[in-house]
Amino acid sequence: MMNWNDMGPGMGFGMGLGWLFGLLILVLLVLAIAALIKYLRK
């Protein structure tokens, strides 16, 4: 059912962009938590 070749370029690009966006948010969240821990330990 799921075949990358059958998908249109727009669909594949949209899915890839969403995955990258989610990964970016995850990295920013981890950095924010680390900064908060450092600030609270001061």
Side-chain angles (χ1 to χ4, degrees):
M1 182 88 186
M2 284 294 273
N3 192 351
W4 288 108
N5 293 333
D6 292 340
M7 278 186 173
M11 180 89 177
F13 180 74
M15 283 183 74
L17 204 66
W19 183 80
L20 273 173
F21 194 65
L23 195 70
L24 187 69
I25 289 171
L26 196 70
V27 170
L28 286 173
L29 195 69
V30 169
L31 283 172
I33 290 167
L36 194 69
I37 289 168
K38 263 191 179 182
Y39 179 75
L40 289 173
R41 277 190 177 177
K42 211 181 274 185

